[in-house]
Amino acid sequence: MAVNGVDTLLAPFTVSLYGIFASGPFFLECVVLAGLLAYAYLSLTLRNVGSHVTDRKEVDFEAALQRSDSCAGS
């Protein structure tokens, strides 16, 4: 869903919230952003991204081992 679609769905609510309490939509956005930030820090999937970084020598060595294994079986 695009951002414009979300805006179309939530706009009536935020406009009515703005009518009741002018700073309300901004506080609501701060709560949503804080929740997303907490999710980003607590998510195991996001935490483990990039944890296994290999250098070029290690990749070349593993490829050479795979080639030698496939040649030995022929």
Side-chain angles (χ1 to χ4, degrees):
M1 181 182 289
V3 173
N4 293 336
V6 172
D7 185 41
T8 302
L9 294 173
L10 297 179
F13 171 71
T14 55
V15 169
S16 63
L17 183 61
Y18 185 76
I20 296 169
F21 180 59
S23 298
F26 303 106
F27 288 132
L28 179 65
E29 184 64 25
C30 287
V31 169
V32 169
L33 288 175
L36 289 172
L37 183 65
Y39 174 75
Y41 278 113
L42 298 175
S43 172
L44 291 176
T45 304
L46 292 176
R47 188 180 304 165
N48 292 330
V49 170
S51 63
H52 182 69
V53 178
T54 58
D55 61 355
R56 186 71 183 155
K57 290 181 183 179
E58 184 178 343
V59 172
D60 290 340
F61 180 71
E62 289 176 4
L65 284 177
Q66 289 176 355
R67 281 194 303 268
S68 65
D69 288 344
S70 65
C71 292
S74 306

Short mmCIF file of all heavy atoms in Angstrom, two decimals:
data_model
loop_
_atom_site.label_atom_id
_atom_site.label_comp_id
_atom_site.label_asym_id
_atom_site.label_seq_id
_atom_site.Cartn_x
_atom_site.Cartn_y
_atom_site.Cartn_z
N MET A 1 0.84 -1.17 0.00
CA MET A 1 0.00 0.00 0.00
C MET A 1 0.90 1.24 0.00
O MET A 1 1.84 1.33 0.75
CB MET A 1 -0.91 -0.02 1.22
CG MET A 1 -1.85 1.17 1.28
SD MET A 1 -2.89 1.19 2.74
CE MET A 1 -3.97 -0.14 2.39
N ALA A 2 0.58 2.15 -0.84
CA ALA A 2 1.38 3.36 -0.96
C ALA A 2 1.09 4.32 0.19
O ALA A 2 0.09 4.21 0.89
CB ALA A 2 1.09 4.03 -2.29
N VAL A 3 1.98 5.26 0.38
CA VAL A 3 1.79 6.26 1.42
C VAL A 3 0.52 7.06 1.15
O VAL A 3 -0.22 7.40 2.08
CB VAL A 3 3.03 7.18 1.51
CG1 VAL A 3 2.78 8.32 2.47
CG2 VAL A 3 4.24 6.38 1.92
N ASN A 4 0.24 7.33 -0.09
CA ASN A 4 -0.97 8.08 -0.41
C ASN A 4 -2.22 7.30 -0.03
O ASN A 4 -3.21 7.87 0.38
CB ASN A 4 -1.01 8.41 -1.91
CG ASN A 4 0.07 9.38 -2.29
OD1 ASN A 4 0.55 10.13 -1.46
ND2 ASN A 4 0.46 9.36 -3.55
N GLY A 5 -2.19 5.99 -0.15
CA GLY A 5 -3.32 5.16 0.26
C GLY A 5 -3.54 5.22 1.76
O GLY A 5 -4.68 5.30 2.23
N VAL A 6 -2.46 5.16 2.52
CA VAL A 6 -2.56 5.26 3.97
C VAL A 6 -3.09 6.63 4.35
O VAL A 6 -3.94 6.76 5.24
CB VAL A 6 -1.19 4.99 4.63
CG1 VAL A 6 -1.23 5.28 6.11
CG2 VAL A 6 -0.77 3.56 4.37
N ASP A 7 -2.64 7.65 3.67
CA ASP A 7 -3.10 9.01 3.95
C ASP A 7 -4.60 9.13 3.68
O ASP A 7 -5.32 9.78 4.44
CB ASP A 7 -2.33 10.01 3.10
CG ASP A 7 -2.70 11.44 3.45
OD1 ASP A 7 -2.85 11.73 4.65
OD2 ASP A 7 -2.82 12.24 2.52
N THR A 8 -5.07 8.49 2.63
CA THR A 8 -6.50 8.54 2.32
C THR A 8 -7.32 7.86 3.40
O THR A 8 -8.41 8.32 3.74
CB THR A 8 -6.77 7.86 0.95
OG1 THR A 8 -5.99 8.52 -0.03
CG2 THR A 8 -8.22 7.92 0.58
N LEU A 9 -6.79 6.79 3.96
CA LEU A 9 -7.52 6.08 5.00
C LEU A 9 -7.48 6.80 6.35
O LEU A 9 -8.46 6.80 7.09
CB LEU A 9 -6.96 4.67 5.17
CG LEU A 9 -7.16 3.72 4.00
CD1 LEU A 9 -6.40 2.43 4.24
CD2 LEU A 9 -8.63 3.44 3.80
N LEU A 10 -6.36 7.38 6.67
CA LEU A 10 -6.19 7.99 7.99
C LEU A 10 -6.49 9.48 8.05
O LEU A 10 -6.60 10.04 9.14
CB LEU A 10 -4.77 7.74 8.50
CG LEU A 10 -4.39 6.28 8.72
CD1 LEU A 10 -2.96 6.18 9.20
CD2 LEU A 10 -5.33 5.62 9.71
N ALA A 11 -6.62 10.13 6.92
CA ALA A 11 -6.83 11.58 6.91
C ALA A 11 -8.07 12.02 7.67
O ALA A 11 -8.00 12.98 8.45
CB ALA A 11 -6.86 12.11 5.47
N PRO A 12 -9.22 11.38 7.50
CA PRO A 12 -10.39 11.83 8.28
C PRO A 12 -10.17 11.75 9.79
O PRO A 12 -10.59 12.64 10.53
CB PRO A 12 -11.50 10.88 7.83
CG PRO A 12 -11.07 10.39 6.51
CD PRO A 12 -9.58 10.33 6.56
N PHE A 13 -9.50 10.70 10.24
CA PHE A 13 -9.22 10.57 11.67
C PHE A 13 -8.29 11.67 12.16
O PHE A 13 -8.53 12.29 13.20
CB PHE A 13 -8.62 9.20 11.96
CG PHE A 13 -8.10 9.05 13.36
CD1 PHE A 13 -8.97 8.98 14.43
CD2 PHE A 13 -6.74 9.01 13.60
CE1 PHE A 13 -8.49 8.85 15.72
CE2 PHE A 13 -6.24 8.87 14.88
CZ PHE A 13 -7.13 8.79 15.94
N THR A 14 -7.21 11.91 11.42
CA THR A 14 -6.24 12.91 11.88
C THR A 14 -6.81 14.33 11.80
O THR A 14 -6.48 15.17 12.63
CB THR A 14 -4.94 12.83 11.08
OG1 THR A 14 -5.23 12.95 9.69
CG2 THR A 14 -4.23 11.51 11.33
N VAL A 15 -7.66 14.58 10.81
CA VAL A 15 -8.28 15.92 10.72
C VAL A 15 -9.23 16.13 11.89
O VAL A 15 -9.25 17.21 12.49
CB VAL A 15 -9.00 16.09 9.36
CG1 VAL A 15 -9.86 17.34 9.36
CG2 VAL A 15 -7.98 16.14 8.24
N SER A 16 -9.99 15.10 12.25
CA SER A 16 -10.89 15.24 13.41
C SER A 16 -10.09 15.37 14.70
O SER A 16 -10.48 16.10 15.60
CB SER A 16 -11.87 14.09 13.47
OG SER A 16 -11.19 12.87 13.65
N LEU A 17 -8.97 14.64 14.78
CA LEU A 17 -8.10 14.77 15.95
C LEU A 17 -7.52 16.18 16.03
O LEU A 17 -7.42 16.76 17.11
CB LEU A 17 -6.98 13.73 15.89
CG LEU A 17 -6.01 13.68 17.06
CD1 LEU A 17 -6.75 13.34 18.35
CD2 LEU A 17 -4.92 12.65 16.79
N TYR A 18 -7.16 16.73 14.88
CA TYR A 18 -6.64 18.10 14.84
C TYR A 18 -7.70 19.10 15.30
O TYR A 18 -7.38 20.09 15.96
CB TYR A 18 -6.17 18.44 13.42
CG TYR A 18 -5.52 19.79 13.31
CD1 TYR A 18 -4.22 19.99 13.76
CD2 TYR A 18 -6.20 20.87 12.75
CE1 TYR A 18 -3.62 21.24 13.65
CE2 TYR A 18 -5.60 22.11 12.65
CZ TYR A 18 -4.31 22.29 13.10
OH TYR A 18 -3.72 23.52 12.99
N GLY A 19 -8.96 18.84 14.96
CA GLY A 19 -10.04 19.71 15.40
C GLY A 19 -10.26 19.67 16.90
O GLY A 19 -10.64 20.67 17.52
N ILE A 20 -10.02 18.53 17.50
CA ILE A 20 -10.19 18.38 18.95
C ILE A 20 -8.98 18.91 19.70
O ILE A 20 -9.12 19.65 20.69
CB ILE A 20 -10.42 16.89 19.30
CG1 ILE A 20 -11.72 16.40 18.68
CG2 ILE A 20 -10.45 16.68 20.80
CD1 ILE A 20 -11.91 14.90 18.75
N PHE A 21 -7.83 18.53 19.24
CA PHE A 21 -6.57 18.89 19.91
C PHE A 21 -5.54 19.16 18.82
O PHE A 21 -5.12 18.24 18.11
CB PHE A 21 -6.14 17.73 20.83
CG PHE A 21 -4.87 17.97 21.59
CD1 PHE A 21 -4.74 19.05 22.45
CD2 PHE A 21 -3.81 17.10 21.46
CE1 PHE A 21 -3.57 19.26 23.16
CE2 PHE A 21 -2.63 17.29 22.16
CZ PHE A 21 -2.53 18.37 23.02
N ALA A 22 -5.15 20.40 18.67
CA ALA A 22 -4.34 20.81 17.52
C ALA A 22 -3.00 20.08 17.44
O ALA A 22 -2.52 19.80 16.35
CB ALA A 22 -4.10 22.31 17.57
N SER A 23 -2.41 19.75 18.55
CA SER A 23 -1.11 19.05 18.53
C SER A 23 -1.28 17.53 18.48
O SER A 23 -0.28 16.80 18.41
CB SER A 23 -0.30 19.42 19.77
OG SER A 23 -0.02 20.81 19.75
N GLY A 24 -2.49 17.05 18.51
CA GLY A 24 -2.76 15.61 18.55
C GLY A 24 -2.13 14.81 17.42
O GLY A 24 -1.48 13.79 17.68
N PRO A 25 -2.32 15.20 16.16
CA PRO A 25 -1.71 14.42 15.08
C PRO A 25 -0.18 14.36 15.16
O PRO A 25 0.42 13.35 14.80
CB PRO A 25 -2.14 15.16 13.81
CG PRO A 25 -3.38 15.88 14.19
CD PRO A 25 -3.20 16.24 15.63
N PHE A 26 0.43 15.41 15.65
CA PHE A 26 1.89 15.43 15.77
C PHE A 26 2.36 14.49 16.89
O PHE A 26 3.36 13.80 16.75
CB PHE A 26 2.39 16.85 15.98
CG PHE A 26 1.95 17.78 14.89
CD1 PHE A 26 0.94 18.70 15.10
CD2 PHE A 26 2.51 17.70 13.63
CE1 PHE A 26 0.52 19.55 14.09
CE2 PHE A 26 2.11 18.54 12.61
CZ PHE A 26 1.11 19.46 12.84
N PHE A 27 1.62 14.47 18.00
CA PHE A 27 1.94 13.53 19.07
C PHE A 27 1.70 12.10 18.62
O PHE A 27 2.49 11.20 18.94
CB PHE A 27 1.11 13.83 20.32
CG PHE A 27 1.52 15.08 21.05
CD1 PHE A 27 0.59 16.01 21.44
CD2 PHE A 27 2.86 15.30 21.35
CE1 PHE A 27 0.97 17.15 22.10
CE2 PHE A 27 3.25 16.45 22.02
CZ PHE A 27 2.29 17.38 22.39
N LEU A 28 0.64 11.87 17.86
CA LEU A 28 0.37 10.55 17.33
C LEU A 28 1.50 10.10 16.42
O LEU A 28 1.95 8.95 16.48
CB LEU A 28 -0.97 10.55 16.57
CG LEU A 28 -1.36 9.23 15.93
CD1 LEU A 28 -1.61 8.17 16.99
CD2 LEU A 28 -2.60 9.43 15.08
N GLU A 29 2.00 10.99 15.59
CA GLU A 29 3.12 10.65 14.71
C GLU A 29 4.38 10.35 15.50
O GLU A 29 5.14 9.45 15.15
CB GLU A 29 3.38 11.80 13.73
CG GLU A 29 4.45 11.51 12.72
CD GLU A 29 4.08 10.36 11.78
OE1 GLU A 29 2.90 10.10 11.58
OE2 GLU A 29 5.02 9.74 11.25
N CYS A 30 4.60 11.07 16.58
CA CYS A 30 5.77 10.78 17.44
C CYS A 30 5.65 9.39 18.05
O CYS A 30 6.64 8.66 18.14
CB CYS A 30 5.88 11.82 18.55
SG CYS A 30 6.45 13.42 17.95
N VAL A 31 4.45 9.01 18.47
CA VAL A 31 4.23 7.67 19.04
C VAL A 31 4.48 6.60 17.98
O VAL A 31 5.13 5.58 18.24
CB VAL A 31 2.81 7.56 19.63
CG1 VAL A 31 2.47 6.13 19.99
CG2 VAL A 31 2.68 8.46 20.84
N VAL A 32 3.98 6.82 16.75
CA VAL A 32 4.18 5.85 15.67
C VAL A 32 5.67 5.73 15.35
O VAL A 32 6.20 4.61 15.20
CB VAL A 32 3.38 6.25 14.42
CG1 VAL A 32 3.78 5.44 13.21
CG2 VAL A 32 1.89 6.12 14.68
N LEU A 33 6.38 6.84 15.25
CA LEU A 33 7.81 6.79 14.95
C LEU A 33 8.60 6.14 16.08
O LEU A 33 9.56 5.40 15.83
CB LEU A 33 8.34 8.19 14.67
CG LEU A 33 7.89 8.79 13.33
CD1 LEU A 33 8.39 10.23 13.20
CD2 LEU A 33 8.39 7.96 12.18
N ALA A 34 8.21 6.40 17.34
CA ALA A 34 8.89 5.75 18.46
C ALA A 34 8.66 4.24 18.42
O ALA A 34 9.57 3.45 18.70
CB ALA A 34 8.40 6.33 19.78
N GLY A 35 7.46 3.82 18.05
CA GLY A 35 7.17 2.40 17.92
C GLY A 35 7.99 1.76 16.82
O GLY A 35 8.51 0.64 16.98
N LEU A 36 8.12 2.44 15.69
CA LEU A 36 8.94 1.91 14.59
C LEU A 36 10.41 1.84 14.98
O LEU A 36 11.12 0.90 14.61
CB LEU A 36 8.76 2.77 13.34
CG LEU A 36 7.40 2.64 12.65
CD1 LEU A 36 7.28 3.69 11.55
CD2 LEU A 36 7.21 1.25 12.10
N LEU A 37 10.88 2.83 15.72
CA LEU A 37 12.27 2.82 16.17
C LEU A 37 12.51 1.67 17.15
O LEU A 37 13.52 0.97 17.06
CB LEU A 37 12.61 4.16 16.83
CG LEU A 37 14.04 4.34 17.29
CD1 LEU A 37 14.99 4.34 16.10
CD2 LEU A 37 14.18 5.64 18.06
N ALA A 38 11.57 1.46 18.07
CA ALA A 38 11.69 0.34 19.00
C ALA A 38 11.68 -0.99 18.25
O ALA A 38 12.45 -1.89 18.57
CB ALA A 38 10.55 0.39 20.02
N TYR A 39 10.82 -1.10 17.26
CA TYR A 39 10.78 -2.33 16.45
C TYR A 39 12.11 -2.55 15.74
O TYR A 39 12.61 -3.67 15.69
CB TYR A 39 9.64 -2.25 15.44
CG TYR A 39 9.63 -3.41 14.48
CD1 TYR A 39 9.20 -4.66 14.89
CD2 TYR A 39 10.09 -3.26 13.18
CE1 TYR A 39 9.22 -5.74 14.01
CE2 TYR A 39 10.10 -4.32 12.30
CZ TYR A 39 9.67 -5.56 12.72
OH TYR A 39 9.69 -6.61 11.85
N ALA A 40 12.68 -1.50 15.21
CA ALA A 40 13.95 -1.62 14.49
C ALA A 40 15.06 -2.07 15.43
O ALA A 40 15.92 -2.86 15.03
CB ALA A 40 14.31 -0.29 13.84
N TYR A 41 15.06 -1.60 16.66
CA TYR A 41 16.10 -2.00 17.60
C TYR A 41 15.87 -3.38 18.18
O TYR A 41 16.81 -4.10 18.50
CB TYR A 41 16.22 -0.99 18.75
CG TYR A 41 17.05 0.21 18.38
CD1 TYR A 41 16.49 1.46 18.28
CD2 TYR A 41 18.41 0.09 18.14
CE1 TYR A 41 17.23 2.56 17.93
CE2 TYR A 41 19.17 1.18 17.79
CZ TYR A 41 18.58 2.42 17.70
OH TYR A 41 19.34 3.50 17.35
N LEU A 42 14.61 -3.80 18.34
CA LEU A 42 14.31 -5.07 18.99
C LEU A 42 14.14 -6.24 18.02
O LEU A 42 14.13 -7.39 18.45
CB LEU A 42 13.04 -4.92 19.84
CG LEU A 42 13.14 -3.90 20.98
CD1 LEU A 42 11.81 -3.76 21.68
CD2 LEU A 42 14.23 -4.29 21.96
N SER A 43 14.03 -5.98 16.76
CA SER A 43 13.82 -7.04 15.77
C SER A 43 15.10 -7.83 15.57
O SER A 43 16.15 -7.29 15.23
CB SER A 43 13.38 -6.43 14.43
OG SER A 43 13.35 -7.42 13.44
N LEU A 44 15.01 -9.15 15.77
CA LEU A 44 16.19 -10.00 15.59
C LEU A 44 16.62 -10.04 14.14
O LEU A 44 17.81 -10.10 13.83
CB LEU A 44 15.88 -11.41 16.09
CG LEU A 44 15.70 -11.55 17.59
CD1 LEU A 44 15.31 -12.98 17.94
CD2 LEU A 44 16.95 -11.14 18.32
N THR A 45 15.66 -10.01 13.24
CA THR A 45 15.99 -10.04 11.82
C THR A 45 16.79 -8.81 11.42
O THR A 45 17.81 -8.91 10.74
CB THR A 45 14.71 -10.11 10.98
OG1 THR A 45 13.95 -11.25 11.39
CG2 THR A 45 15.02 -10.20 9.50
N LEU A 46 16.35 -7.64 11.85
CA LEU A 46 17.07 -6.42 11.51
C LEU A 46 18.40 -6.33 12.25
O LEU A 46 19.36 -5.78 11.74
CB LEU A 46 16.21 -5.19 11.83
CG LEU A 46 14.97 -5.01 10.97
CD1 LEU A 46 14.17 -3.83 11.46
CD2 LEU A 46 15.34 -4.83 9.52
N ARG A 47 18.45 -6.90 13.43
CA ARG A 47 19.69 -6.84 14.21
C ARG A 47 20.79 -7.69 13.57
O ARG A 47 21.97 -7.37 13.64
CB ARG A 47 19.43 -7.32 15.63
CG ARG A 47 20.61 -7.12 16.55
CD ARG A 47 20.33 -7.59 17.94
NE ARG A 47 19.15 -6.92 18.47
CZ ARG A 47 18.48 -7.32 19.54
NH1 ARG A 47 18.87 -8.38 20.20
NH2 ARG A 47 17.43 -6.67 19.96
N ASN A 48 20.40 -8.78 12.92
CA ASN A 48 21.38 -9.71 12.36
C ASN A 48 21.75 -9.40 10.92
O ASN A 48 22.57 -10.12 10.34
CB ASN A 48 20.86 -11.14 12.45
CG ASN A 48 20.78 -11.61 13.88
OD1 ASN A 48 21.55 -11.20 14.71
ND2 ASN A 48 19.82 -12.47 14.17
N VAL A 49 21.20 -8.38 10.33
CA VAL A 49 21.54 -8.04 8.95
C VAL A 49 22.98 -7.57 8.89
O VAL A 49 23.40 -6.70 9.64
CB VAL A 49 20.59 -6.94 8.41
CG1 VAL A 49 21.09 -6.40 7.09
CG2 VAL A 49 19.20 -7.47 8.28
N GLY A 50 23.74 -8.17 8.01
CA GLY A 50 25.13 -7.77 7.83
C GLY A 50 26.07 -8.28 8.89
O GLY A 50 27.22 -7.85 8.94
N SER A 51 25.63 -9.21 9.73
CA SER A 51 26.51 -9.68 10.80
C SER A 51 27.60 -10.61 10.26
O SER A 51 28.65 -10.72 10.85
CB SER A 51 25.70 -10.39 11.88
OG SER A 51 25.07 -11.53 11.33
N HIS A 52 27.33 -11.27 9.14
CA HIS A 52 28.34 -12.15 8.56
C HIS A 52 28.88 -11.51 7.29
O HIS A 52 28.39 -11.77 6.20
CB HIS A 52 27.76 -13.53 8.27
CG HIS A 52 28.77 -14.48 7.72
ND1 HIS A 52 29.80 -14.98 8.47
CD2 HIS A 52 28.91 -15.02 6.48
CE1 HIS A 52 30.53 -15.78 7.72
NE2 HIS A 52 30.03 -15.83 6.51
N VAL A 53 29.85 -10.66 7.46
CA VAL A 53 30.47 -9.99 6.33
C VAL A 53 31.75 -10.74 5.98
O VAL A 53 32.59 -10.99 6.85
CB VAL A 53 30.79 -8.51 6.66
CG1 VAL A 53 31.48 -7.84 5.51
CG2 VAL A 53 29.52 -7.78 7.03
N THR A 54 31.87 -11.12 4.72
CA THR A 54 33.06 -11.85 4.30
C THR A 54 33.94 -10.95 3.45
O THR A 54 33.45 -10.08 2.74
CB THR A 54 32.67 -13.09 3.49
OG1 THR A 54 31.91 -12.68 2.36
CG2 THR A 54 31.86 -14.06 4.31
N ASP A 55 35.21 -11.20 3.54
CA ASP A 55 36.11 -10.45 2.67
C ASP A 55 36.37 -11.24 1.39
O ASP A 55 35.99 -12.40 1.26
CB ASP A 55 37.41 -10.09 3.40
CG ASP A 55 38.19 -11.31 3.85
OD1 ASP A 55 37.68 -12.43 3.70
OD2 ASP A 55 39.31 -11.13 4.36
N ARG A 56 36.99 -10.64 0.45
CA ARG A 56 37.18 -11.22 -0.88
C ARG A 56 38.05 -12.48 -0.82
O ARG A 56 37.81 -13.45 -1.54
CB ARG A 56 37.81 -10.17 -1.80
CG ARG A 56 37.93 -10.60 -3.22
CD ARG A 56 36.58 -10.66 -3.87
NE ARG A 56 36.72 -11.15 -5.22
CZ ARG A 56 35.76 -11.76 -5.87
NH1 ARG A 56 34.60 -11.93 -5.32
NH2 ARG A 56 35.96 -12.17 -7.09
N LYS A 57 39.07 -12.51 0.04
CA LYS A 57 39.95 -13.67 0.13
C LYS A 57 39.19 -14.90 0.62
O LYS A 57 39.39 -16.01 0.13
CB LYS A 57 41.12 -13.38 1.06
CG LYS A 57 42.11 -12.39 0.50
CD LYS A 57 43.24 -12.17 1.46
CE LYS A 57 44.20 -11.11 0.90
NZ LYS A 57 45.31 -10.85 1.82
N GLU A 58 38.30 -14.69 1.59
CA GLU A 58 37.51 -15.81 2.11
C GLU A 58 36.57 -16.36 1.04
O GLU A 58 36.42 -17.57 0.90
CB GLU A 58 36.72 -15.35 3.34
CG GLU A 58 35.93 -16.46 4.01
CD GLU A 58 35.20 -15.98 5.25
OE1 GLU A 58 35.54 -14.90 5.77
OE2 GLU A 58 34.29 -16.68 5.67
N VAL A 59 35.96 -15.48 0.26
CA VAL A 59 35.07 -15.91 -0.81
C VAL A 59 35.85 -16.68 -1.87
O VAL A 59 35.41 -17.73 -2.34
CB VAL A 59 34.34 -14.69 -1.43
CG1 VAL A 59 33.57 -15.09 -2.68
CG2 VAL A 59 33.41 -14.06 -0.42
N ASP A 60 37.02 -16.19 -2.26
CA ASP A 60 37.86 -16.88 -3.25
C ASP A 60 38.30 -18.25 -2.74
O ASP A 60 38.32 -19.23 -3.49
CB ASP A 60 39.08 -16.04 -3.60
CG ASP A 60 38.72 -14.80 -4.40
OD1 ASP A 60 37.62 -14.77 -4.99
OD2 ASP A 60 39.53 -13.85 -4.41
N PHE A 61 38.65 -18.35 -1.47
CA PHE A 61 39.08 -19.62 -0.89
C PHE A 61 37.95 -20.63 -0.90
O PHE A 61 38.15 -21.80 -1.25
CB PHE A 61 39.60 -19.38 0.54
CG PHE A 61 40.07 -20.63 1.21
CD1 PHE A 61 41.24 -21.25 0.81
CD2 PHE A 61 39.36 -21.17 2.25
CE1 PHE A 61 41.68 -22.41 1.43
CE2 PHE A 61 39.79 -22.33 2.87
CZ PHE A 61 40.95 -22.95 2.47
N GLU A 62 36.74 -20.21 -0.51
CA GLU A 62 35.60 -21.12 -0.52
C GLU A 62 35.26 -21.56 -1.93
O GLU A 62 34.91 -22.73 -2.16
CB GLU A 62 34.39 -20.45 0.14
CG GLU A 62 34.53 -20.29 1.63
CD GLU A 62 33.37 -19.53 2.26
OE1 GLU A 62 32.41 -19.19 1.54
OE2 GLU A 62 33.43 -19.28 3.48
N ALA A 63 35.36 -20.68 -2.90
CA ALA A 63 35.09 -21.04 -4.30
C ALA A 63 36.12 -22.04 -4.80
O ALA A 63 35.79 -23.00 -5.51
CB ALA A 63 35.08 -19.79 -5.18
N ALA A 64 37.39 -21.87 -4.42
CA ALA A 64 38.44 -22.80 -4.83
C ALA A 64 38.20 -24.17 -4.21
O ALA A 64 38.39 -25.20 -4.87
CB ALA A 64 39.81 -22.27 -4.42
N LEU A 65 37.74 -24.21 -2.96
CA LEU A 65 37.43 -25.49 -2.33
C LEU A 65 36.29 -26.19 -3.03
O LEU A 65 36.33 -27.40 -3.26
CB LEU A 65 37.08 -25.28 -0.86
CG LEU A 65 38.24 -25.01 0.09
CD1 LEU A 65 37.70 -24.76 1.50
CD2 LEU A 65 39.20 -26.17 0.10
N GLN A 66 35.28 -25.44 -3.41
CA GLN A 66 34.14 -26.04 -4.11
C GLN A 66 34.57 -26.58 -5.47
O GLN A 66 34.13 -27.64 -5.89
CB GLN A 66 33.00 -25.04 -4.26
CG GLN A 66 32.31 -24.74 -2.94
CD GLN A 66 31.24 -23.66 -3.08
OE1 GLN A 66 31.08 -23.09 -4.14
NE2 GLN A 66 30.52 -23.42 -2.01
N ARG A 67 35.42 -25.84 -6.17
CA ARG A 67 35.90 -26.29 -7.48
C ARG A 67 36.73 -27.56 -7.34
O ARG A 67 36.61 -28.50 -8.12
CB ARG A 67 36.71 -25.20 -8.17
CG ARG A 67 35.86 -24.14 -8.83
CD ARG A 67 36.71 -23.29 -9.78
NE ARG A 67 37.86 -22.66 -9.12
CZ ARG A 67 37.86 -21.45 -8.59
NH1 ARG A 67 36.75 -20.72 -8.63
NH2 ARG A 67 38.94 -20.94 -8.03
N SER A 68 37.59 -27.62 -6.33
CA SER A 68 38.45 -28.79 -6.15
C SER A 68 37.60 -30.02 -5.76
O SER A 68 37.89 -31.13 -6.17
CB SER A 68 39.53 -28.54 -5.12
OG SER A 68 38.96 -28.35 -3.85
N ASP A 69 36.53 -29.80 -4.98
CA ASP A 69 35.64 -30.89 -4.62
C ASP A 69 34.89 -31.42 -5.84
O ASP A 69 34.73 -32.61 -6.02
CB ASP A 69 34.65 -30.47 -3.55
CG ASP A 69 35.29 -30.30 -2.18
OD1 ASP A 69 36.41 -30.80 -2.00
OD2 ASP A 69 34.67 -29.66 -1.32
N SER A 70 34.45 -30.52 -6.71
CA SER A 70 33.71 -30.96 -7.88
C SER A 70 34.63 -31.63 -8.90
O SER A 70 34.25 -32.57 -9.58
CB SER A 70 32.98 -29.78 -8.53
OG SER A 70 33.90 -28.84 -9.04
N CYS A 71 35.89 -31.21 -8.97
CA CYS A 71 36.85 -31.84 -9.88
C CYS A 71 37.28 -33.21 -9.37
O CYS A 71 37.54 -34.12 -10.14
CB CYS A 71 38.09 -30.96 -10.07
SG CYS A 71 37.73 -29.44 -10.95
N ALA A 72 37.36 -33.38 -8.06
CA ALA A 72 37.80 -34.65 -7.47
C ALA A 72 36.75 -35.73 -7.70
O ALA A 72 37.09 -36.91 -7.81
CB ALA A 72 38.06 -34.48 -5.99
N GLY A 73 35.49 -35.35 -7.79
CA GLY A 73 34.43 -36.33 -7.99
C GLY A 73 34.29 -36.76 -9.43
O GLY A 73 33.62 -37.74 -9.74
N SER A 74 34.93 -36.11 -10.37
CA SER A 74 34.78 -36.45 -11.79
C SER A 74 35.59 -37.63 -12.20
O SER A 74 36.69 -37.85 -11.90
CB SER A 74 35.19 -35.28 -12.69
OG SER A 74 34.51 -34.13 -12.35
#
